[in-house]
Amino acid sequence: MIGQGQKDWLWLGAILALAVALRIWGLNAPMWHDEIQTLVTHLNLGWGEMVQSYSMNHHYLHNILAKISMTIFGDDPWAIRLPAMLFGLGTLAVIWVLARGMAGATVAHVTTLLLTLSYHQIWFSQNARGYTGLAFFSVLGMLYFLRGMERPRRGTWIAYGFCLAAAVFTHLTGAFFFMAQGVIWLAVVAIRGPRGRLEGGLIRLPFLGFLVGGLITAAFYLPLLPSLIDTVSNVSGTSATDVMQEYQNPLWTAFEAIRTGIGHAGPLTALVGAAVLILSILGAIALHRDAPLFAPTTFLHIVLTAGLLMAVGMRIWPRFFFVDIAFLMLLIVMGVQLCCALIGHFIGGERVSRVLFILSAIAMTAISAGLAKRNYDFPKQDLAGAYAFTEAERKPETRVFAIGYAGQDFRDHYKADWPILFTNDEYVAALAAPGPVILVVGFPERNFRDVPQLAIDADAFGPTNVCAPDHTAPVLTTLRCFGGTLGDGNVIVFGRD
């Protein structure tokens, strides 16, 4: 006979097998701008050169692992993305352990299955960046934090310190999550201390964990410290001049995170946001007795991250909150379970509650599976397709220009000989000369603002969709629009005869 514990582990194995299949499918799709820049400016360097200067684009621990993968398997996209995929799978396993300990096996299975099908979790697991690594070490850190606060032990808190260091060495914003936990720890000490309910180890051992993590992090970043300070001190200046000022608005961040998950849904986006908020609060209520520190840590991290990024004038990208997806999913499942229990309490008892929760889990799984399909509709950003199409279309007399930052990818990765136009003056000067021209525009929403004459020539803000293949503007004709799942991830190829 197979015991219940063994059945639980078999369920986890089945869920992880599904996760592997969903993440291998499409793992070798073309890379997008940030991945290419990571490859060109970091992974292609020697080992010593990789850690000589700091850049927001370098996720150091992840990049070291990605370089190891490249050394073994080559530089195909799947090999460069392999560490991100493995960290994504590891995150699923750890959240299952965390959820099972707090809420039981059923909630753990449902939460992990929904994360397995999560659009965002799949997307980032196929993204050669450090965000799944950051999520893995944060979820593991949450596991050690809750265990250490409940039963303070030296080994638990030392392991916590290593999670802290690994997360922050992956990306500086990893510090925000552990700062939130530090605030929660100090609040517990302040509340319990005067009441005489504070164990002696609850001061000394957490302090040891934060000290270990801080010292290791400082040792990792010491060679990069001068350039790190310079980069962080200048971030507000670059953000202030960014034409995409909405990137610094936390409301935009929330709506963008939902929009990327469900697609362009109009007013439904706000309804989904409200549902997530309400169910998360209900989930916090449901978990309060067994895990009173879990929800406060999650909510505080979200508020703290948004506040600190606003304080330093930095763009508030949705990906900075990727670590919270697993925690929010657990809260949502708990919120749904509580709703089902309340309904059952009034109309039919425990059996009705159980049936309602099963039906709700099936519905959430079906919706998640439908949304996950969108990951496979397009690459993240089809720069490779745009390059191949343009080279096939160009004639000897045709001049080809790349617009904006994507031009660096065509030049440095695809070895294109296309001049790059960044400003409106450069664009006007380039098109002043007669003759056929092809323009390759990555991040079109940004570039239509950076280069307003391009927007006019492409009729970008007119009634016609510039991605329509038959779109003809007064000056430019849309030759091809290459779709992408990345926000502003389309690549548009325009032509002029």
Side-chain angles (χ1 to χ4, degrees):
M1 292 288 292
I2 298 177
Q4 185 58 49
Q6 291 175 305
K7 288 182 181 179
D8 292 342
W9 287 100
L10 287 174
W11 270 109
L12 174 61
I15 292 170
L16 290 179
L18 174 62
V20 170
L22 292 175
R23 285 147 183 78
I24 287 178
W25 182 16
L27 191 63
N28 205 42
M31 294 189 294
W32 71 287
H33 173 75
D34 278 9
E35 293 179 300
I36 290 174
Q37 288 306 302
T38 296
L39 176 66
V40 169
T41 67
H42 207 209
L43 299 182
N44 284 342
L45 301 179
W47 286 101
E49 297 175 282
M50 285 177 59
V51 291
Q52 286 185 352
S53 62
Y54 179 79
S55 168
M56 291 287 188
N57 197 53
H58 296 344
H59 300 179
Y60 290 90
L61 179 57
H62 166 269
N63 288 359
I64 290 170
L65 297 174
K67 190 168 180 66
I68 293 173
S69 181
M70 282 178 57
T71 302
I72 298 172
F73 301 113
D75 60 357
D76 289 327
W78 74 265
I80 301 171
R81 291 168 172 157
L82 183 60
M85 189 191 85
L86 294 177
F87 276 129
L89 295 173
T91 302
L92 297 178
V94 177
I95 195 65
W96 182 86
V97 173
L98 181 64
R100 184 170 179 252
M102 292 191 301
T106 300
V107 169
H109 297 334
V110 174
T111 300
T112 309
L113 178 59
L114 292 176
L115 285 170
T116 292
L117 298 169
S118 163
Y119 172 88
H120 293 99
Q121 228 281 346
I122 296 172
W123 200 97
F124 280 97
S125 293
Q126 297 179 326
N127 182 35
R129 311 285 285 135
Y131 297 106
T132 53
L134 188 59
F136 172 78
F137 291 116
S138 297
V139 175
L140 192 59
M142 177 72 92
L143 181 65
Y144 286 128
F145 176 76
L146 295 179
R147 286 180 177 179
M149 292 297 290
E150 184 178 351
R151 294 184 300 274
R153 294 177 181 171
R154 185 189 305 272
T156 301
W157 282 105
I158 289 177
Y160 174 85
F162 278 100
C163 289
L164 186 161
V168 181
F169 191 54
T170 299
H171 197 277
L172 274 184
T173 56
F176 299 162
F177 182 74
F178 293 88
M179 286 171 62
Q181 290 178 327
V183 172
I184 296 295
W185 164 55
L186 293 175
V188 170
V189 170
I191 292 170
R192 292 185 185 177
R195 300 178 182 178
R197 297 168 50 203
L198 191 65
E199 299 178 43
L202 207 50
I203 296 178
R204 175 173 50 85
L205 293 179
F207 177 79
L208 174 64
F210 284 106
L211 179 64
V212 167
L215 290 176
I216 296 174
T217 302
F220 282 153
Y221 276 114
L222 189 60
L224 304 166
L225 192 59
S227 61
L228 188 156
I229 294 173
D230 182 63
T231 299
V232 173
S233 62
N234 291 327
V235 70
S236 62
T238 58
S239 297
T241 58
D242 193 346
V243 295
M244 309 296 283
Q245 285 296 302
E246 61 266 35
Y247 291 170
Q248 299 171 56
N249 185 335
L251 289 178
W252 173 86
T253 305
F255 274 85
E256 181 67 8
I258 297 169
R259 186 201 63 77
T260 54
I262 68 174
H264 294 279
L268 183 61
T269 304
L271 293 177
V272 171
V276 168
L277 179 60
I278 292 169
L279 289 172
S280 297
I281 293 172
L282 291 174
I285 295 170
L287 272 175
H288 179 73
R289 185 186 66 179
D290 296 318
L293 304 183
F294 176 78
T297 301
T298 301
F299 295 147
L300 180 59
H301 171 248
I302 294 171
V303 173
L304 187 66
T305 299
L308 290 174
L309 291 175
M310 292 175 67
V312 300
M314 189 171 175
R315 301 168 186 88
I316 309 174
W317 299 115
R319 55 182 176 259
F320 292 155
F321 303 89
F322 176 69
V323 300
D324 299 298
I325 288 179
F327 304 135
L328 290 173
M329 188 67 77
L330 174 54
L331 290 173
I332 289 169
V333 172
M334 289 298 297
V336 171
Q337 188 183 57
L338 178 59
C339 289
C340 294
L342 291 173
I343 294 172
H345 176 74
F346 290 107
I347 66 171
E350 185 177 341
R351 186 173 180 275
V352 170
S353 298
R354 187 164 54 251
V355 171
L356 284 175
F357 183 68
I358 292 172
L359 294 175
S360 298
I362 292 172
M364 289 189 292
T365 300
I367 293 170
S368 295
L371 295 175
K373 177 186 174 296
R374 296 172 48 249
N375 267 296
Y376 312 104
D377 291 342
F378 303 103
K380 290 175 170 56
Q381 188 181 35
D382 197 1
L383 298 167
Y387 170 75
F389 173 80
T390 301
E391 286 297 302
E393 285 289 308
R394 74 185 300 187
K395 297 178 174 58
E397 68 274 13
T398 303
R399 294 179 298 138
V400 179
F401 299 95
I403 308 293
Y405 293 106
Q408 299 170 340
D409 306 320
F410 295 120
R411 179 193 64 200
D412 299 333
H413 185 59
Y414 296 101
K415 309 305 179 185
D417 59 349
W418 312 341
I420 306 173
L421 309 177
F422 286 100
T423 69
N424 197 70
D425 289 343
E426 291 173 345
Y427 171 81
V428 170
L431 265 69
V437 171
I438 293 178
L439 301 169
V440 186
V441 183
F443 303 105
E445 291 183 20
R446 169 180 288 278
N447 281 305
F448 289 148
R449 298 189 197 182
D450 274 332
V451 187
Q453 188 58 48
L454 169 67
I456 294 171
D457 292 347
D459 193 25
F461 304 112
T464 309
N465 178 9
V466 296
C467 281
D470 61 346
H471 169 70
T472 303
V475 176
L476 300 176
T477 299
T478 301
L479 303 180
R480 180 75 69 85
C481 179
F482 294 85
T485 59
L486 176 73
D488 196 16
N490 290 341
V491 184
I492 307 176
V493 182
F494 292 108
R496 186 192 72 180
D497 295 329

